[in-house]
Amino acid sequence: MPVALVVLLLDLTLIYHASRTGRLRPWAFIILLVPLMGALAYVAVELIPEWFSSPGARQARQRVASRLDPEKRYRELSDRLAGTDTIANRAALAEECANLGRFVEAEAHYDHILKLPMGHDPAYALHKAQAEFGAKRPADALATLDDLQKQWPEFDSADAHLLYARALEEVGRLDEALEEYHALAGYFPGAEARVRYGMLLQTVGRAAEARMVFNELLIQMRRAPKYLRNAQAEWLSIAEKQLSA
Protein backbone atom coordinates (compact mmCIF):
# COMPACT_ATOMS: atom_id res chain seq x y z
CA MET A 1 0.00 0.00 0.00
CA PRO A 2 1.46 3.43 -0.94
CA VAL A 3 2.75 5.48 1.96
CA ALA A 4 0.59 8.45 0.93
CA LEU A 5 -2.54 6.30 1.21
CA VAL A 6 -1.51 5.05 4.66
CA VAL A 7 -0.99 8.63 5.83
CA LEU A 8 -4.36 9.65 4.38
CA LEU A 9 -6.16 6.79 6.13
CA LEU A 10 -4.41 7.63 9.41
CA ASP A 11 -5.35 11.30 9.10
CA LEU A 12 -8.99 10.49 8.31
CA THR A 13 -9.18 8.02 11.21
CA LEU A 14 -7.85 10.57 13.67
CA ILE A 15 -10.14 13.31 12.33
CA TYR A 16 -13.08 10.94 12.82
CA HIS A 17 -11.88 10.21 16.38
CA ALA A 18 -11.52 13.95 17.06
CA SER A 19 -15.07 14.60 15.84
CA ARG A 20 -16.50 11.83 18.03
CA THR A 21 -14.70 13.07 21.15
CA GLY A 22 -15.42 16.79 20.76
CA ARG A 23 -11.92 17.71 19.61
CA LEU A 24 -12.64 18.57 15.99
CA ARG A 25 -11.50 22.16 16.51
CA PRO A 26 -8.62 22.77 15.91
CA TRP A 27 -7.37 19.26 15.26
CA ALA A 28 -9.09 18.67 11.91
CA PHE A 29 -7.41 21.78 10.54
CA ILE A 30 -4.01 20.86 12.00
CA ILE A 31 -4.11 17.26 10.76
CA LEU A 32 -5.15 18.28 7.26
CA LEU A 33 -2.75 21.21 7.08
CA VAL A 34 0.30 19.17 8.13
CA PRO A 35 -0.22 15.56 7.03
CA LEU A 36 1.42 12.95 9.26
CA MET A 37 3.01 15.55 11.56
CA GLY A 38 -0.43 16.77 12.52
CA ALA A 39 -1.51 13.19 13.17
CA LEU A 40 1.55 12.56 15.33
CA ALA A 41 0.85 15.74 17.28
CA TYR A 42 -2.74 14.61 17.89
CA VAL A 43 -1.52 11.25 19.18
CA ALA A 44 1.07 12.89 21.44
CA VAL A 45 -1.18 15.61 22.82
CA GLU A 46 -4.55 13.88 23.02
CA LEU A 47 -4.23 10.09 22.94
CA ILE A 48 -1.08 9.29 24.90
CA PRO A 49 -2.06 11.41 27.94
CA GLU A 50 -5.49 9.76 27.73
CA TRP A 51 -3.93 6.31 27.71
CA PHE A 52 -1.55 7.18 30.55
CA SER A 53 -3.81 9.51 32.46
CA SER A 54 -2.26 11.35 35.38
CA PRO A 55 -2.43 14.91 36.73
CA GLY A 56 0.96 15.71 35.22
CA ALA A 57 0.01 14.26 31.84
CA ARG A 58 -3.25 16.19 31.81
CA GLN A 59 -1.43 19.43 32.63
CA ALA A 60 1.11 18.84 29.86
CA ARG A 61 -1.71 18.15 27.46
CA GLN A 62 -3.46 21.37 28.43
CA ARG A 63 -0.27 23.41 27.94
CA VAL A 64 0.40 22.01 24.49
CA ALA A 65 -3.24 22.30 23.44
CA SER A 66 -3.25 25.90 24.63
CA ARG A 67 -0.25 26.68 22.43
CA LEU A 68 -1.91 25.02 19.43
CA ASP A 69 -5.23 26.74 19.99
CA PRO A 70 -4.75 29.67 22.40
CA GLU A 71 -8.32 30.92 21.96
CA LYS A 72 -10.06 27.63 22.73
CA ARG A 73 -10.92 28.64 26.30
CA TYR A 74 -12.00 32.08 25.04
CA ARG A 75 -14.50 30.45 22.67
CA GLU A 76 -15.76 28.11 25.37
CA LEU A 77 -16.29 30.97 27.83
CA SER A 78 -17.95 33.10 25.13
CA ASP A 79 -20.39 30.27 24.42
CA ARG A 80 -21.03 29.81 28.14
CA LEU A 81 -21.80 33.51 28.56
CA ALA A 82 -24.09 33.48 25.53
CA GLY A 83 -26.02 30.62 27.14
CA THR A 84 -26.10 32.00 30.68
CA ASP A 85 -25.25 35.65 31.28
CA THR A 86 -24.10 35.64 34.90
CA ILE A 87 -21.50 37.73 36.69
CA ALA A 88 -19.32 34.67 37.21
CA ASN A 89 -19.42 33.72 33.52
CA ARG A 90 -18.77 37.28 32.36
CA ALA A 91 -15.91 37.73 34.84
CA ALA A 92 -14.30 34.47 33.69
CA LEU A 93 -14.50 35.62 30.07
CA ALA A 94 -13.13 39.06 30.98
CA GLU A 95 -10.15 37.45 32.72
CA GLU A 96 -9.44 35.29 29.68
CA CYS A 97 -9.71 38.33 27.42
CA ALA A 98 -7.04 40.04 29.50
CA ASN A 99 -4.84 36.92 29.34
CA LEU A 100 -5.08 37.04 25.54
CA GLY A 101 -4.36 40.76 25.33
CA ARG A 102 -7.96 41.63 24.42
CA PHE A 103 -7.92 44.47 26.92
CA VAL A 104 -10.67 46.61 25.38
CA GLU A 105 -13.06 43.65 25.43
CA ALA A 106 -12.06 42.80 28.99
CA GLU A 107 -12.71 46.39 30.04
CA ALA A 108 -16.17 46.31 28.46
CA HIS A 109 -17.06 43.16 30.39
CA TYR A 110 -15.88 44.58 33.71
CA ASP A 111 -17.69 47.83 33.02
CA HIS A 112 -20.88 45.84 32.42
CA ILE A 113 -20.41 43.89 35.65
CA LEU A 114 -19.83 47.04 37.72
CA LYS A 115 -23.17 48.44 36.59
CA LEU A 116 -25.01 45.44 38.02
CA PRO A 117 -26.25 45.59 41.64
CA MET A 118 -24.40 42.40 42.59
CA GLY A 119 -21.34 43.33 40.55
CA HIS A 120 -20.56 46.61 42.28
CA ASP A 121 -17.34 45.34 43.81
CA PRO A 122 -13.86 46.89 44.17
CA ALA A 123 -12.18 43.79 42.75
CA TYR A 124 -13.96 44.30 39.43
CA ALA A 125 -13.02 47.97 39.43
CA LEU A 126 -9.38 46.97 39.90
CA HIS A 127 -9.62 44.51 37.01
CA LYS A 128 -11.14 47.23 34.85
CA ALA A 129 -8.21 49.53 35.68
CA GLN A 130 -5.77 46.73 34.82
CA ALA A 131 -7.49 46.30 31.45
CA GLU A 132 -7.27 50.05 30.79
CA PHE A 133 -3.58 50.02 31.64
CA GLY A 134 -3.06 46.99 29.40
CA ALA A 135 -4.77 48.90 26.59
CA LYS A 136 -2.13 51.65 27.04
CA ARG A 137 -4.51 54.13 28.65
CA PRO A 138 -2.79 54.81 31.99
CA ALA A 139 -4.71 58.05 32.56
CA ASP A 140 -7.99 56.12 32.44
CA ALA A 141 -6.55 53.52 34.80
CA LEU A 142 -5.67 56.28 37.26
CA ALA A 143 -9.17 57.71 37.06
CA THR A 144 -10.69 54.29 37.71
CA LEU A 145 -8.39 53.68 40.68
CA ASP A 146 -9.15 57.12 42.12
CA ASP A 147 -12.86 56.38 41.83
CA LEU A 148 -12.30 52.97 43.43
CA GLN A 149 -10.64 54.63 46.42
CA LYS A 150 -13.54 57.06 46.82
CA GLN A 151 -16.21 54.38 46.65
CA TRP A 152 -14.39 51.75 48.72
CA PRO A 153 -11.99 53.61 51.05
CA GLU A 154 -11.40 50.47 53.11
CA PHE A 155 -10.27 48.43 50.11
CA ASP A 156 -6.58 47.56 50.47
CA SER A 157 -4.70 45.89 47.63
CA ALA A 158 -0.98 45.74 46.94
CA ASP A 159 -1.75 45.02 43.28
CA ALA A 160 -3.90 48.16 43.05
CA HIS A 161 -1.14 50.19 44.70
CA LEU A 162 1.45 48.88 42.24
CA LEU A 163 -0.81 49.57 39.28
CA TYR A 164 -1.35 53.11 40.53
CA ALA A 165 2.41 53.69 40.77
CA ARG A 166 2.98 52.29 37.29
CA ALA A 167 0.19 54.44 35.82
CA LEU A 168 1.64 57.56 37.46
CA GLU A 169 5.00 56.72 35.93
CA GLU A 170 3.46 56.20 32.50
CA VAL A 171 1.70 59.57 32.49
CA GLY A 172 4.90 61.34 33.57
CA ARG A 173 4.03 62.12 37.17
CA LEU A 174 7.39 60.78 38.27
CA ASP A 175 7.68 62.38 41.72
CA GLU A 176 4.33 60.94 42.73
CA ALA A 177 5.25 57.58 41.25
CA LEU A 178 8.46 57.54 43.30
CA GLU A 179 6.47 58.17 46.47
CA GLU A 180 4.10 55.32 45.63
CA TYR A 181 6.95 52.90 44.82
CA HIS A 182 8.78 53.89 48.01
CA ALA A 183 5.69 53.09 50.06
CA LEU A 184 5.15 49.84 48.17
CA ALA A 185 8.73 48.67 48.62
CA GLY A 186 8.12 48.12 52.31
CA TYR A 187 5.26 45.66 52.00
CA PHE A 188 4.69 44.48 48.42
CA PRO A 189 5.09 40.70 48.19
CA GLY A 190 7.88 39.81 45.83
CA ALA A 191 10.57 41.87 44.14
CA GLU A 192 8.68 43.67 41.39
CA ALA A 193 7.85 46.85 43.29
CA ARG A 194 11.42 47.35 44.51
CA VAL A 195 12.90 46.67 41.08
CA ARG A 196 10.53 49.16 39.46
CA TYR A 197 11.37 51.65 42.20
CA GLY A 198 15.09 51.25 41.56
CA MET A 199 14.64 51.58 37.81
CA LEU A 200 12.67 54.81 38.20
CA LEU A 201 15.30 56.17 40.57
CA GLN A 202 17.85 55.56 37.83
CA THR A 203 15.63 57.27 35.28
CA VAL A 204 15.45 60.46 37.34
CA GLY A 205 19.21 60.47 37.93
CA ARG A 206 19.30 59.12 41.48
CA ALA A 207 21.70 56.29 40.63
CA ALA A 208 23.23 55.88 44.09
CA GLU A 209 19.82 55.37 45.68
CA ALA A 210 18.88 52.95 42.92
CA ARG A 211 21.99 50.84 43.56
CA MET A 212 21.14 50.74 47.26
CA VAL A 213 17.63 49.48 46.48
CA PHE A 214 18.95 46.76 44.16
CA ASN A 215 21.71 45.70 46.55
CA GLU A 216 19.39 45.44 49.54
CA LEU A 217 16.93 43.40 47.48
CA LEU A 218 19.56 40.94 46.27
CA ILE A 219 21.09 40.51 49.73
CA GLN A 220 17.67 39.84 51.20
CA MET A 221 16.75 37.34 48.49
CA ARG A 222 20.00 35.39 48.93
CA ARG A 223 18.76 34.52 52.42
CA ALA A 224 15.29 33.59 51.17
CA PRO A 225 14.18 29.98 50.51
CA LYS A 226 15.04 28.59 47.09
CA TYR A 227 11.40 28.34 45.97
CA LEU A 228 10.97 32.06 46.66
CA ARG A 229 14.11 32.95 44.72
CA ASN A 230 12.90 30.84 41.81
CA ALA A 231 9.52 32.55 41.86
CA GLN A 232 11.21 35.97 41.68
CA ALA A 233 13.95 34.95 39.25
CA GLU A 234 12.85 37.31 36.48
CA TRP A 235 12.91 40.40 38.71
CA LEU A 236 16.14 39.40 40.43
CA SER A 237 17.78 39.03 37.03
CA ILE A 238 16.68 42.55 36.12
CA ALA A 239 18.10 43.89 39.39
CA GLU A 240 21.44 42.19 38.74
CA LYS A 241 21.60 43.60 35.21
CA GLN A 242 20.80 47.09 36.46
CA LEU A 243 23.65 46.87 38.96
CA SER A 244 26.15 45.67 36.37
CA ALA A 245 25.11 48.25 33.75
Side-chain angles (χ1 to χ4, degrees):
M1 185 180 295
V3 174
L5 182 56
V6 173
V7 172
L8 177 62
L9 290 175
L10 175 62
D11 287 349
L12 292 176
T13 299
L14 293 178
I15 290 172
Y16 175 74
H17 181 275
S19 69
R20 292 294 302 272
T21 56
R23 300 161 173 162
L24 194 60
R25 294 176 62 185
W27 283 112
F29 175 76
I30 294 171
I31 293 170
L32 290 173
L33 183 66
V34 193
L36 185 58
M37 294 304 296
L40 293 175
Y42 181 79
V43 171
V45 172
E46 297 288 352
L47 299 186
I48 291 178
E50 191 173 272
W51 297 334
F52 302 97
S53 182
S54 70
R58 286 195 295 271
Q59 290 174 4
R61 171 186 164 189
Q62 290 170 357
R63 286 195 297 270
V64 175
S66 178
R67 292 191 184 98
L68 291 171
D69 186 13
E71 296 203 349
K72 179 180 179 181
R73 178 166 169 77
Y74 170 81
R75 293 195 301 272
E76 291 173 347
L77 293 172
S78 295
D79 291 343
R80 188 183 302 173
L81 179 64
T84 311
D85 190 348
T86 64
I87 290 175
N89 286 347
R90 190 173 289 274
L93 177 57
E95 181 180 359
E96 185 62 17
C97 286
N99 291 338
L100 293 173
R102 294 171 173 254
F103 297 112
V104 174
E105 186 176 349
E107 178 192 350
H109 287 306
Y110 287 125
D111 201 40
H112 180 94
I113 291 171
L114 285 162
K115 292 175 183 176
L116 301 174
M118 297 298 292
H120 194 62
D121 186 281
Y124 295 129
L126 171 56
H127 292 320
K128 178 185 174 183
Q130 289 169 333
E132 290 168 332
F133 187 84
K136 302 189 184 305
R137 299 195 338 263
D140 291 341
L142 283 173
T144 298
L145 291 170
D146 283 336
D147 186 60
L148 185 161
Q149 185 62 32
K150 290 176 184 176
Q151 294 194 54
W152 296 281
E154 301 302 317
F155 181 70
D156 187 20
S157 166
D159 288 333
H161 198 171
L162 177 62
L163 180 62
Y164 197 77
R166 293 183 64 191
L168 286 170
E169 182 179 356
E170 286 294 316
V171 299
R173 294 161 59 179
L174 301 186
D175 289 341
E176 294 173 77
L178 283 169
E179 291 180 10
E180 295 294 330
Y181 281 132
H182 178 72
L184 266 169
Y187 77 93
F188 188 85
E192 180 178 358
R194 280 176 285 179
V195 172
R196 290 191 181 279
Y197 180 39
M199 292 171 68
L200 184 55
L201 284 169
Q202 286 184 327
T203 298
V204 299
R206 295 161 59 179
E209 293 174 71
R211 292 185 65 83
M212 186 178 300
V213 169
F214 293 135
N215 271 317
E216 288 178 354
L217 170 63
L218 292 172
I219 291 171
Q220 179 183 354
M221 292 305 294
R222 288 190 194 106
R223 301 168 182 163
K226 184 176 180 180
Y227 77 89
L228 186 56
R229 295 197 303 273
N230 290 339
Q232 301 300 314
E234 177 184 357
W235 293 106
L236 296 179
S237 176
I238 293 173
E240 290 170 348
K241 289 177 181 177
Q242 293 295 322
L243 277 175
S244 61

